[in-house]
Amino acid sequence: MCSLALFPPLTSGQTTLCESNNELLSGSTNTEDPLKQDLIPLSLNFPRESLKLHSRTESSSKAAFLDHSETLWMRSAAAWRDGGLSGLLNEITTSHAEVPKWLSVTSGCILALLRWASSFHGSLFPHVTLSSEDMIAEFSQVLNWPDCVVRAFAWHPHTDKFAVALLDDSIKIYNPKSAITPTLKHRLQKNIAAVQWKPLCASALAVACQNCLLVWHVDPCSLSTRPSSGCAQVLSRPGHSPITSIAWSPSGSLLLSASPMDTAMMVWDVAAESCVPLQRVGGGGVTFLSWSPDGSHVLASTPSALFRVWETRMWTCERWPCIKGRCQSGCWSPDGSRLLFTVQGEMVIYALTFTGTPGLPTSSIKGPQAAVVVADLSETTFKTPDGDIIVGGEIQSVSWDPRGERLAVLLKGDPQAANRPAVIAVFKTRASPIFELLPSGFVQGEPGTEPRLMQFHPNFRHGALLTVCWSSGRITHVPFYFLSSSLPHVGLSGSPPLPHPQERHADFSSQLFTELIS
Amino acid sequence: MMFSTETSCWFIRKVICWRATASIAWSVLLLPPTTAVFVILSRFSLFHPFQTISECLSLLMSASSVFSLILLGGVIIMAGFLTLEYYTVIPTIACSKIALLGQLLHPRQFINSLAHCLMGIIVGWCCAITIGCRYEMLGYPCKNSDGYPQMCVNEYHLIILLAGAFVGFSHSLLGVIHNINYISFQTVQQYKYFRFKGSLPLVVMCSATQAFYSIKNYVVLYFFLGYIPRAWICKTLNLHLDSSIHPLDSIAGLLDLSLLYHLWISATFLLFTWYITLLLFRIFVTEVYTFPVQSSFTEDSHQCLPKVITEKQPMILKFLALQDLALLSQHSPSRRSEVFSLSQPGGHPHNWNAISKECLALLADLTQRLVAYHETVATNGRAKTLSNGSERKISSETSSTEDMMSPRPTFLMKTPTSVFARSVGRSSQSPLTIPFTPDLDSPFASPALRRLAAAPEQGSPWHGSVQSPHVMRKAPKLWSTSTADSLFNGSPEPTPASVPSPKKEATKPSFLVQFLQNRKEQLPEASSQALFADSQAHIWALEGLSYLVQASFTEDQFGVVQTTLPSILSSMLLLQEAVDRHFKLPHASSKPVRSTSTMGDSTYKTLRFALRATLKTALYRITTTFGDHLKAVEMSAEHRKRLQQFLEYKE
């Protein structure tokens, strides 16, 4: 089993640039270097000051108007519209001077009963008492989501474009092949928790928002920088909000959405705008979804110490109760046979192995009997010139590169303690003869910045490319150059060209992901 | 032909009938718990909860309730049979208001409504017996003004019976409007129990809301017309009216909260049992049926997928076969390998050939239908109208309703499950290449479509003929100005026919004719829906083909797919072009309004969007799998250009 003690030591004050010859190279951070800025066209920076944030919430405009007494009917209608049944009951109870006594007493009783029931529900599932934003922050894969400038990030599964969701509820789409960066804004696009591109499609982007699910259709040939909100499909269902996680099926036909408030997860047929709820007893909601790359399984974690693995042929599920806490994050191996997941409150990575060929009837797929611990990420102290730095602890998210060779783990750290930063630990993974994780190194950003969000590029040809969004609002790409063991090596001599930064610079200077090594 | 009817008989007899029977059996089994809940809800009293429950228990054990349970079971079986008789996998979409009226007045529908009325009365009677108290008997002894004993009519009993009849009738009418007989297939496969469990809340909500609206209408109707059935009953059964109590068709009589509640709960119970029957039928019938890809026995060969998929006759068989194809291509490597295999003596890929040929024929059929439709509609999205359209005599009322649904899929008229044309193996009109109204003499057929169905005579420029005043009046409202111009500029090739004769101008169409013309006008979105009414089959064909082609990249040992790849790509690209053109029509991309609380399945309204998305995904699936290898595939320059767009992810 791998642990952090085996990792190469942290280098203080240096930014990780790339992996080459099996080791992570880092360089001094000199962001003012104009040459370097040119070479990394997709390293974006979103300074917090540049975003126009909503200074006021909409409800606060009420204070600017004079109080106007309306009739009871009007107020009741408004209360029904704004607050539903409990709002209406509350309105009737408070205006007891105008309504018959029996009505106000009855509604008061019903209201008390409702409150008692909801507090009971809240004691069973504490997360239902959270506000929408707190809930997204709690269950998001992004570290410290409320404070993040970049709230969500998604590479297109087939091309080199990506979407970035920002703190000001806008989404920008960057494409290296075009100078146009469309900005997507929509009235309902608030508190974006996740974005994902539809596979086998050039244009569709699903956005998980606070109250609904939006599916944008951004025409890649369009010259418009502000696609109208008519390009977005709004998918919503009462009770299914806030949405914290979405997952497209790898075949591009279905979209899953999950909300911690809704015990059912929704399977959307986006074109027909219809959905099928999949509901099972227990859990109290669904927080995180991950569809295996071969499309055969879906991981669905719940706010309580329980997660489910759905099989996608007949949509049956296996229950996996955890001992300590809820399943925080998870990722699948490229062939869909292995699931790595982490549990809140534990500092280890578990693995589940699904044997059996996908596609056979479900009865023949033998599920695993127990999860195995594959890595221990408990706290380890590294000595640096600046003092001791403690790395390790709870895990925010895990991500596996599409070839199954590198595993990136985002460690939470402790925001209060200066010497316990959040870092990304990268493992090499090996499937044969036995599955194991080998230490690779830490990915560090500029001094004073923390990683918030990470994602691997879905089809990087020279190895793996990890995109990291930092707390400063910067997005950088860290390439891992290696030759995949699973792919046949091209070339007559059989010896692969050694990954050498300078050479590569010459070769791929027109490419996107070149880093200059100082 | 003989062979095909035999096969269909096999499938209907062995599969569909058993599934229907199982669904009816389950709905009958669910009846006792439903009735128990109904009894508790109808007799519940807030102040004596325990007394109510003990009363309910004793009531449920009594002979009368057992008898009414048997009656209700009979009603359920009847409802199940009606569902089996009337179900359809391709919805009948009325393209104009008058066509909808025609559907509602059709004799077949009339029988359906009548049956539902009767069943409603029976359920109403059972409800009256179960609720008991003042509802129990139709007659009761009373004294007339002179003090003589006589039998009086119990209006409470009567009102529940009539409510049952009314709710049954309105259920059957609403069923036509909401296409309740249409059965859609799920995008997600689930076991029957989970599907049932997932749909149960919807059924409860639907029946409660539907019952509320029906009872609202019924109460209004009874207020105005309630005296007619009451007088009739009194007369036929020689009963009298009790003058000492208020008649119910008055405001005071109807504002009885307990009466209204009982009416509503009875109607909810009635609709719930029927909806459950319908739901179970839908779940059982649409369950996946696994056809063998090939069989080692020749006598079973007609049950194999390649054979079954080409069948036209029971539409449900074709749909289930296509569904199975889509699933096997996606999930089952072993069955895929059977599709790609070669025949043992001879070495021909018969399985693949039969399957791909049928799928391509389906796609080509849709393409042709779309092209033909696009040629008939004007740019404003409505069917072009001919001058003589408004002057047609609306004399023959007895026309086949076949043509009311225009335009229609080619095999819609052949399906036995379509509402009006149910006769297995009935010789249908010769398969039209043009999907529009075959019956040209019908007054309901739109003239433009009629012309399309007639052989296209190049000599007579029909667009040059004079436009009806109706169209002239409409012209400024059109979306596109160019059509308006062409209307007034006249025809580009003047012929004698195009000269407007003053006599024609003088004969203004009568009000009735104009009114009917208005109603007859195509609803643009409905015609677009009708065009894609059977597109679930095309969606499966596209999915099946694209997954098989994707799998062939690694699994096809003999290269059988390679030979068909050019035609698959070209037919998909042709369809893509036709679909793109269709969506440029103004009405085609407008989203239908979602109706949430009906049991009618509105999937057919969005099938065209689903087809468009599936088509694009299917093309991307092939281009992503094959990549640059596709450059070696022979195809026209235009298609190559289009394919390049897909390879570059620019579509």
Side-chain angles (χ1 to χ4, degrees):
Chain A
M1 191 173 56
C2 190
S3 80
L4 285 180
L6 305 170
F7 268 66
L10 279 169
T11 49
S12 75
Q14 295 219 307
T15 312
T16 312
L17 295 176
C18 69
E19 184 202 286
S20 180
N21 285 329
N22 251 342
E23 58 182 317
L24 285 174
L25 304 179
S26 38
S28 63
T29 51
N30 190 0
T31 46
E32 279 71 45
D33 185 355
L35 180 66
K36 195 180 168 195
Q37 288 287 311
D38 288 347
L39 283 169
I40 317 166
L42 287 184
S43 282
L44 299 167
N45 197 3
F46 299 101
R48 188 174 297 264
E49 304 77 46
S50 70
L51 300 175
K52 277 185 206 141
L53 300 177
H54 307 295
S55 50
R56 274 193 308 270
T57 55
E58 279 174 31
S59 58
S60 68
S61 62
K62 236 180 200 175
F65 295 93
L66 283 177
D67 191 31
H68 173 72
S69 60
E70 287 170 319
T71 60
L72 178 68
W73 282 111
M74 296 296 285
R75 272 183 288 140
S76 302
W80 171 258
R81 201 182 56 231
D82 295 340
L85 181 65
S86 60
L88 178 67
L89 290 173
N90 202 17
E91 182 63 46
I92 293 174
T93 318
T94 47
S95 55
H96 46 80
E98 294 167 67
V99 292
K101 191 157 187 285
W102 61 270
L103 189 60
S104 68
V105 169
T106 319
S107 62
C109 288
I110 298 173
L111 195 62
L113 210 66
L114 275 180
R115 282 187 181 148
W116 178 78
S118 74
S119 72
F120 178 68
H121 188 210
S123 67
L124 279 183
F125 300 110
H127 70 274
V128 298
T129 54
L130 295 175
S131 73
S132 290
E133 285 193 40
D134 292 343
M135 204 179 297
I136 298 173
E138 173 77 21
F139 298 115
S140 169
Q141 293 293 298
V142 183
L143 185 59
N144 198 0
W145 179 85
D147 184 46
C148 245
V149 181
V150 177
R151 287 192 151 173
F153 178 92
W155 279 106
H156 190 273
H158 308 288
T159 59
D160 282 335
K161 66 179 171 186
F162 58 80
V164 181
L166 299 174
L167 186 58
D168 61 353
D169 294 333
S170 69
I171 294 178
K172 287 184 193 298
I173 293 169
Y174 289 90
N175 189 346
K177 288 185 188 140
S178 91
I180 302 161
T181 49
T183 306
L184 311 178
K185 283 188 183 177
H186 195 280
R187 189 170 49 84
L188 295 169
Q189 188 170 288
K190 279 183 199 150
N191 291 332
I192 302 161
V195 288
Q196 199 179 12
W197 292 91
K198 179 180 174 178
L200 297 179
C201 181
S203 57
L205 175 76
V207 182
C209 307
Q210 184 177 323
N211 294 317
C212 65
L213 194 59
L214 289 176
V215 180
W216 285 93
H217 295 271
V218 192
D219 185 0
C221 302
S222 163
L223 296 175
S224 152
T225 51
R226 274 294 298 271
S228 77
S229 45
C231 300
Q233 275 178 285
V234 181
L235 307 174
S236 68
R237 208 181 139 95
H240 194 69
S241 67
I243 295 170
T244 54
S245 186
I246 47 176
W248 282 99
S249 74
S251 63
S253 50
L254 299 171
L255 175 67
L256 286 180
S257 71
S259 165
M261 288 299 278
D262 192 354
T263 50
M265 80 180 178
M266 299 291 162
V267 186
W268 293 93
D269 181 351
V270 173
E273 296 190 0
S274 63
C275 75
V276 179
L278 293 176
Q279 196 158 25
R280 292 292 183 275
V281 178
V286 184
T287 57
F288 173 69
L289 295 169
S290 172
W291 207 310
S292 74
D294 69 333
S296 61
H297 291 91
V298 176
L299 165 75
S301 64
T302 68
S304 35
L306 168 79
F307 69 93
R308 296 191 177 88
V309 179
W310 291 84
E311 158 280 318
T312 60
R313 176 109 195 257
M314 291 304 287
W315 291 97
T316 52
C317 66
E318 289 172 13
R319 279 167 63 100
W320 281 92
C322 308
I323 298 164
K324 255 198 168 154
R326 65 185 160 87
C327 171
Q328 164 66 29
S329 180
C331 57
W332 292 88
S333 67
D335 60 351
S337 65
R338 192 165 278 117
L339 167 68
L340 299 186
F341 68 93
T342 65
V343 171
Q344 200 189 30
E346 292 190 52
M347 301 173 188
V348 292
I349 300 176
Y350 290 100
L352 280 178
T353 314
F354 295 84
T355 50
T357 32
L360 287 180
T362 43
S363 53
S364 68
I365 297 177
K366 192 76 191 123
Q369 299 305 310
V372 193
V373 178
V374 289
D376 177 15
L377 298 174
S378 48
E379 291 168 355
T380 311
T381 311
F382 288 92
K383 285 199 167 50
T384 63
D386 302 343
D388 287 358
I389 288 181
I390 302 171
V391 171
E394 280 195 45
I395 297 153
Q396 179 70 25
S397 67
V398 286
S399 178
W400 211 333
D401 91 279
R403 296 180 195 215
E405 307 246 344
R406 294 290 180 277
L407 178 77
V409 180
L410 176 53
L411 296 159
K412 266 182 188 165
D414 188 352
Q416 263 76 49
N419 63 344
R420 300 176 65 182
V423 291
I424 295 175
V426 179
F427 294 90
K428 289 172 207 155
T429 54
R430 192 161 70 181
S432 64
I434 51 159
F435 178 72
E436 60 181 330
L437 299 180
L438 306 167
S440 176
F442 297 107
V443 173
Q444 289 171 279
E446 296 160 23
T449 60
E450 283 192 338
R452 288 288 158 83
L453 164 64
M454 58 179 190
Q455 192 178 34
F456 276 105
H457 189 282
N459 44 17
F460 184 62
R461 272 169 298 162
H462 313 293
L465 179 81
L466 182 68
T467 302
V468 186
C469 305
W470 301 94
S471 54
S472 58
R474 182 175 288 278
I475 298 175
T476 60
H477 309 280
V478 184
F480 296 79
Y481 296 107
F482 59 85
L483 282 177
S484 177
S485 55
S486 58
L487 291 180
H489 295 164
V490 215
L492 290 171
S493 62
S495 65
L498 280 174
H500 190 271
Q502 253 67 38
E503 266 180 35
R504 209 174 303 107
H505 181 210
D507 286 351
F508 312 115
S509 55
S510 62
Q511 295 286 320
L512 301 172
F513 312 107
T514 314
E515 292 271 9
L516 183 70
I517 303 304
S518 50
Chain B
M1 199 61 208
M2 191 60 217
F3 192 68
S4 96
T5 45
E6 200 178 291
T7 337
S8 60
C9 283
W10 153 75
F11 192 73
I12 296 289
R13 202 177 56 234
K14 272 194 180 163
V15 182
I16 298 299
C17 282
W18 276 113
R19 289 182 170 188
T21 316
S23 75
I24 294 171
W26 272 109
S27 19
V28 171
L29 280 179
L30 283 173
L31 195 58
T34 319
T35 316
V37 171
F38 167 69
V39 167
I40 291 170
L41 283 180
S42 63
R43 304 178 70 126
F44 194 74
S45 128
L46 200 62
F47 304 104
H48 311 284
F50 297 106
Q51 195 188 340
T52 323
I53 288 168
S54 63
E55 262 178 32
C56 289
L57 280 177
S58 63
L59 181 77
L60 282 172
M61 298 298 160
S62 70
S64 72
S65 74
V66 170
F67 178 64
S68 68
L69 258 186
I70 291 170
L71 264 185
L72 284 173
V75 169
I76 293 292
I77 291 170
M78 187 64 201
F81 271 115
L82 283 177
T83 318
L84 174 64
E85 188 74 6
Y86 281 78
Y87 83 97
T88 167
V89 286
I90 303 172
T92 348
I93 296 162
C95 288
S96 55
K97 284 175 185 159
I98 206 155
L100 186 64
L101 192 69
Q103 280 187 19
L104 290 174
L105 297 179
H106 193 271
R108 214 173 125 75
Q109 175 56 34
F110 180 73
I111 293 171
N112 189 8
S113 305
L114 199 70
H116 277 99
C117 255
L118 283 176
M119 282 153 48
I121 290 178
I122 296 173
V123 177
W125 186 81
C126 294
C127 290
I129 295 293
T130 318
I131 301 172
C133 313
R134 55 182 183 176
Y135 301 99
E136 203 158 355
M137 300 305 278
L138 185 57
Y140 65 98
C142 60
K143 291 201 168 69
N144 68 354
S145 47
D146 303 336
Y148 290 111
Q150 60 180 18
M151 286 302 275
C152 286
V153 66
N154 179 8
E155 212 177 343
Y156 288 103
H157 187 83
L158 185 66
I159 203 171
I160 280 211
L161 289 192
L162 289 176
F166 181 85
V167 173
F169 184 71
S170 66
H171 166 78
S172 133
L173 286 192
L174 283 175
V176 174
I177 294 168
H178 292 145
N179 254 319
I180 209 162
N181 294 313
Y182 164 62
I183 288 182
S184 75
F185 289 80
Q186 293 269 306
T187 43
V188 167
Q189 302 302 319
Q190 282 185 84
Y191 287 109
K192 292 194 283 281
Y193 167 70
F194 291 114
R195 258 194 85 183
F196 178 74
K197 204 180 81 173
S199 316
L200 204 55
L202 179 76
V203 173
V204 174
M205 220 184 66
C206 281
S207 40
T209 47
Q210 184 65 51
F212 177 79
Y213 288 113
S214 292
I215 289 300
K216 190 193 78 186
N217 294 341
Y218 170 70
V219 165
V220 172
L221 195 72
Y222 193 83
F223 178 72
F224 288 111
L225 301 173
Y227 65 95
I228 300 174
R230 193 177 57 205
W232 184 75
I233 287 281
C234 288
K235 212 176 157 196
T236 42
L237 297 180
N238 201 13
L239 294 172
H240 299 274
L241 276 179
D242 195 346
S243 47
S244 61
I245 51 172
H246 270 295
L248 274 182
D249 57 340
S250 60
I251 291 184
L254 285 174
L255 271 184
D256 180 353
L257 271 183
S258 130
L259 173 70
L260 290 179
Y261 172 72
H262 280 134
L263 283 178
W264 173 73
I265 197 96
S266 305
T268 307
F269 172 68
L270 170 116
L271 288 175
F272 181 76
T273 51
W274 291 357
Y275 282 155
I276 283 287
T277 315
L278 182 70
L279 173 74
L280 283 168
F281 182 80
R282 283 182 184 169
I283 291 175
F284 272 84
V285 161
T286 57
E287 203 194 355
V288 179
Y289 185 86
T290 311
F291 296 90
V293 177
Q294 55 189 7
S295 162
S296 36
F297 304 104
T298 42
E299 58 263 35
D300 291 345
S301 69
H302 68 278
Q303 301 185 3
C304 289
L305 189 64
K307 185 79 197 133
V308 156
I309 212 166
T310 55
E311 298 290 341
K312 299 267 186 300
Q313 239 331 296
M315 221 50 229
I316 182 83
L317 174 61
K318 194 182 185 73
F319 270 59
L320 283 172
L322 282 166
Q323 186 187 31
D324 188 39
L325 173 71
L327 289 174
L328 87 86
S329 64
Q330 206 172 340
H331 293 295
S332 173
S334 59
R335 295 179 70 204
R336 275 199 301 258
S337 72
E338 285 183 61
V339 173
F340 297 141
S341 70
L342 301 180
S343 66
Q344 208 28 272
H348 294 286
H350 289 308
N351 294 337
W352 165 252
N353 282 349
I355 288 172
S356 63
K357 199 176 146 206
E358 179 58 29
C359 291
L360 289 179
L362 276 173
L363 299 187
D365 170 60
L366 181 65
T367 313
Q368 207 170 11
R369 207 191 291 167
L370 286 175
V371 169
Y373 178 78
H374 203 269
E375 278 167 8
T376 37
V377 294
T379 37
N380 61 10
R382 285 162 195 269
K384 285 177 184 166
T385 322
L386 277 183
S387 60
N388 57 354
S390 57
E391 283 148 28
R392 274 202 164 252
K393 296 274 179 291
I394 314 292
S395 53
S396 61
E397 286 296 329
T398 56
S399 75
S400 148
T401 38
E402 281 280 22
D403 49 272
M404 288 176 178
M405 285 61 69
S406 60
R408 53 187 315 152
T410 23
F411 46 73
L412 177 55
M413 63 193 84
K414 284 173 250 156
T415 167
T417 52
S418 123
V419 177
F420 305 120
R422 186 184 160 101
S423 54
V424 179
R426 149 187 171 280
S427 67
S428 55
Q429 284 93 341
S430 57
L432 289 171
T433 44
I434 317 156
F436 303 115
T437 55
D439 187 357
L440 303 184
D441 297 328
S442 141
F444 297 130
S446 162
L449 301 175
R450 192 174 298 124
R451 187 199 164 271
L452 180 90
E457 297 149 82
Q458 297 304 317
S460 61
W462 57 293
H463 54 274
S465 53
V466 69
Q467 301 292 329
S468 72
H470 166 65
V471 170
M472 293 292 227
R473 193 164 40 76
K474 278 234 153 180
K477 283 205 280 180
L478 299 178
W479 283 279
S480 140
T481 49
S482 64
T483 42
D485 282 350
S486 73
L487 286 181
F488 292 110
N489 292 345
S491 83
E493 10 174 2
T495 54
S498 75
V499 179
S501 71
K503 205 177 173 187
K504 264 186 176 174
E505 296 262 275
T507 54
K508 278 253 171 188
S510 73
F511 172 73
L512 179 70
V513 172
Q514 204 166 355
F515 175 79
L516 282 175
Q517 180 70 31
N518 270 329
R519 299 282 91 76
K520 218 161 80 180
E521 192 165 87
Q522 302 260 317
L523 304 166
E525 214 213 307
S527 64
S528 190
Q529 281 173 15
L531 208 54
F532 288 92
D534 59 341
S535 279
Q536 185 64 60
H538 304 111
I539 290 173
W540 282 325
L542 281 168
E543 284 187 351
L545 275 182
S546 64
Y547 278 114
L548 283 175
V549 168
Q550 185 186 31
S552 78
F553 192 69
T554 49
E555 293 174 15
D556 180 13
Q557 298 170 3
F558 309 107
V560 295
V561 174
Q562 277 179 28
T563 52
T564 6
L565 191 57
S567 53
I568 290 176
L569 280 173
S570 71
S571 67
M572 279 188 182
L573 287 169
L574 278 174
L575 182 58
Q576 164 83 9
E577 205 175 309
V579 168
D580 274 358
R581 257 178 75 188
H582 182 80
F583 273 91
K584 292 220 169 73
L585 294 176
H587 58 269
S589 45
S590 59
K591 296 266 176 192
V593 194
R594 294 230 137 240
S595 52
T596 43
S597 58
T598 65
M599 275 298 283
D601 205 322
S602 58
T603 316
Y604 65 90
K605 291 183 182 164
T606 49
L607 272 179
R608 58 180 187 279
F609 301 106
L611 180 95
R612 182 172 62 164
T614 313
L615 179 58
K616 217 169 239 185
T617 310
L619 273 165
Y620 269 120
R621 189 169 291 135
I622 295 175
T623 53
T624 315
T625 314
F626 282 82
D628 286 342
H629 297 292
L630 285 179
K631 287 181 177 143
V633 177
E634 274 179 47
M635 63 176 78
S636 69
E638 199 180 326
H639 282 174
R640 190 169 297 285
K641 213 171 127 195
R642 197 79 200 254
L643 213 57
Q644 191 58 37
Q645 296 277 340
F646 277 93
L647 282 167
E648 289 169 3
Y649 292 94
K650 281 189 174 164
E651 267 297 319

